[in-house]
Amino acid sequence: MRFLIAFVAILGYASASAIISPLVYGANAGDVQAAAIDATVAAQDTVRAIGEGQARAAEAVIQHNTEAVRQVAETNRNLHENAYWGNVAASQNLVAAAQSQAAAVDGAAAAVRAAYAGAAYPYAAAPLAYGHALPYAAAPLGYAAYGAYGLHGLRAW
């Protein structure tokens, strides 16, 4: 009997404590509801954190792609701009070279005109033995011989 009294005393003490009461009586409804609420809040927080992380990652990807597109467009613009100004410079160099050549030809033609204008033509007034005068000696080699625009229009440049 002593054993039984001791057993009942230990059982009473243990049932009052938190060790055996959940096993014997079951869980408290308030504690279960609090645990369910805590688990729900933790799950919602986890889902929200995952969603925010994905949104930040998507925003970073969009930013990176936008910057890459901007850099490609700027590089493309620079290439086209350099090509345009290179072509402009090349065409200006070609025009300058053509003008230089025209000036050289005009200078050579002027030198020839001056040399012929200063030379004496004793045979220009006298007819040839065949009765014909030299046509190029009778006509002056002036500006009119090269046309209104110089030698083949090169002075128009």
Side-chain angles (χ1 to χ4, degrees):
M1 180 98 182
R2 278 165 77 197
F3 175 74
L4 188 61
I5 294 174
F7 179 74
V8 171
I10 291 174
L11 186 63
Y13 177 76
S15 66
S17 69
I19 296 174
I20 298 182
S21 65
L23 298 175
V24 174
Y25 297 115
N28 184 358
D31 291 340
V32 170
Q33 186 177 10
I37 290 172
D38 289 344
T40 303
V41 169
Q44 288 174 347
D45 288 344
T46 302
V47 169
R48 186 178 300 118
I50 290 171
E52 288 173 357
Q54 288 177 345
R56 281 192 302 270
E59 185 177 344
V61 166
I62 289 171
Q63 248 179 348
H64 177 74
N65 287 346
T66 302
E67 184 61 29
V69 167
R70 187 177 298 127
Q71 287 177 357
V72 166
E74 183 178 348
T75 302
N76 212 5
R77 182 185 55 83
N78 288 340
L79 285 173
H80 283 92
E81 185 177 355
N82 290 341
Y84 171 77
W85 288 114
N87 286 336
V88 167
S91 65
Q92 289 174 346
N93 289 341
L94 288 174
V95 168
Q99 288 173 343
S100 297
Q101 291 297 322
V105 168
D106 283 347
V112 169
R113 279 194 309 265
Y116 281 128
Y121 299 114
Y123 53 84
L128 289 174
Y130 299 109
H132 295 77
L134 294 175
Y136 58 85
L141 293 174
Y143 183 74
Y146 295 103
Y149 296 107
L151 186 63
H152 299 288
L154 290 177
R155 292 188 68 86
W157 286 6

